[in-house]
Amino acid sequence: MTTLGTLKALSDQLSEQGQKTPLLFIGHGSPMNGIENNQFSQQWEAIGREVPNPTAVICISAHWLTRGTFVTAMEKPKTIHDFGGFPKALFDVQYPALGSPAIAEETKKLITKAEVHLDHDWGLDHGTWTIIRHIYPKANIPVLQLSIDYYQSPQYHYELAQELAVLRRKGVLIIGSGNMVHNLRMVDFQRINGSYGYDWAIEINHIFKKHIAEGNHKPLINYESLGQAAKLAIPTPDHYYPLLYILGMQEKNEEATFFNDVAVGGSLTMTSVKIA
């Protein structure tokens, strides 16, 4: 239970800071990236060294789709192994980061576009822990998840994100976790471990990057207007919506840089964005 004393401590902890945290959209790809030492996980580790330790992390993961909006509010979120067919070593992973009921309450209070429900059942799914265990391997930063209301429009998610932006000046690191290009039905699993993208995947990834770099968000919100390549890249929007949350919090004077800009398996891109 969140006590008045806890809320006061949160208020003190989340006082306005001079420097705002960066924004991250991370292409998380295969759950195996959570335990492998590869070009993607190495870059996630580098983020942990480059970014000052935040007060907490809030992750918008492609793997928590709900009707309505929820935020995890438990003190000790469980590690969710929401996948199948992978080695036992991946299922054995536990990421014991604490949650923060108080920060969940603060998040609920900030969002007025929707009623935010406090969740005590979910935890940290693989869209969150597979990347954050590389960024903060000591699990010493509180981690929360914000769900994606799958029944709302892209514009809705973009606008909801804008209400969260104030948390950046209070030391909270906000991460969107998905993939810009994500078509599992078309994956060439024989080429999943190398750098390989179909022509349409490379084309649309370039278009996405161009609009992001220019701060031109309207076509990214209305991605279905970008043609057949966009339809192939986003057959369902679950892995794309986390990007819109990050773009929604970008300020006018901030620039986007890209990392892990690699296509794998033909129809997936790991392309990730840092906004600061």
Side-chain angles (χ1 to χ4, degrees):
M1 181 178 294
T2 304
T3 65
L4 290 175
T6 303
L7 287 173
K8 183 180 184 304
L10 170 69
S11 179
D12 294 340
Q13 186 181 28
L14 291 184
S15 59
E16 289 282 345
Q17 301 178 8
Q19 188 175 5
K20 60 184 177 292
T21 56
L23 295 163
L24 295 172
F25 170 77
I26 295 181
H28 64 245
S30 168
M32 287 300 293
N33 292 322
I35 59 173
E36 291 181 347
N37 178 21
N38 58 32
Q39 60 179 317
F40 308 125
S41 63
Q42 288 168 11
Q43 186 59 55
W44 301 341
E45 291 171 5
I47 290 170
R49 296 189 296 269
E50 295 167 3
V51 175
N53 279 355
T55 303
V57 173
I58 294 179
C59 186
I60 300 97
S61 165
H63 295 281
W64 194 19
L65 308 176
T66 54
R67 184 182 291 276
T69 301
F70 295 78
V71 61
T72 55
M74 68 287 289
E75 292 184 357
K76 295 181 179 180
K78 63 187 175 184
T79 303
I80 303 173
H81 300 88
D82 50 333
F83 42 70
F86 290 94
K88 182 176 181 296
L90 189 61
F91 290 90
D92 287 342
V93 173
Q94 296 294 316
Y95 186 69
L98 295 177
S100 176
I103 293 178
E105 290 274 6
E106 179 76 1
T107 303
K108 173 182 172 68
K109 186 168 61 176
L110 282 172
I111 296 175
T112 62
K113 187 172 180 65
E115 180 183 0
V116 177
H117 307 279
L118 300 179
D119 175 85
H120 296 88
D121 298 319
W122 188 247
L124 305 179
D125 61 51
H126 84 267
T128 295
W129 65 259
T130 59
I131 59 177
I132 295 182
R133 75 183 300 259
H134 289 291
I135 300 174
Y136 301 115
K138 295 181 180 179
N140 57 344
I141 307 294
V143 181
L144 301 83
Q145 283 196 212
L146 183 73
S147 77
I148 296 172
D149 186 340
Y150 201 54
Y151 299 88
Q152 299 292 345
S153 68
Q155 184 70 40
Y156 174 93
H157 294 295
Y158 182 85
E159 292 177 358
L160 187 149
Q162 292 173 334
E163 298 190 318
L164 290 175
V166 66
L167 290 174
R168 299 180 61 198
R169 296 191 180 275
K170 298 183 176 183
V172 177
L173 178 64
I174 302 176
I175 299 175
S177 175
N179 291 95
M180 288 190 206
V181 176
H182 185 268
N183 190 327
L184 290 183
R185 293 180 181 178
M186 297 184 70
V187 169
D188 181 350
F189 286 99
Q190 299 300 315
R191 307 181 78 163
I192 196 69
N193 292 320
S195 175
Y196 173 66
Y198 300 133
D199 289 345
W200 59 262
I202 295 171
E203 172 195 347
I204 195 62
N205 200 62
H206 176 75
I207 291 171
F208 289 156
K209 287 169 55 185
K210 180 177 183 293
H211 288 310
I212 293 169
E214 294 174 351
N216 186 18
H217 295 172
K218 187 173 181 179
L220 294 164
I221 296 168
N222 301 316
Y223 63 87
E224 291 182 330
S225 68
L226 293 176
Q228 182 62 22
K231 293 177 181 178
L232 289 171
I234 311 170
T236 59
D238 44 330
H239 278 68
Y240 184 79
Y241 280 160
L243 173 65
L244 296 184
Y245 277 82
I246 298 311
L247 296 180
M249 286 178 269
Q250 182 177 11
E251 297 181 5
K252 290 184 179 179
N253 62 339
E254 293 184 309
E255 295 184 354
T257 55
F258 301 96
F259 60 97
N260 284 347
D261 189 15
V262 178
V264 295
S267 60
L268 300 172
T269 61
M270 297 293 291
T271 305
S272 303
V273 188
K274 178 182 177 182
I275 294 174

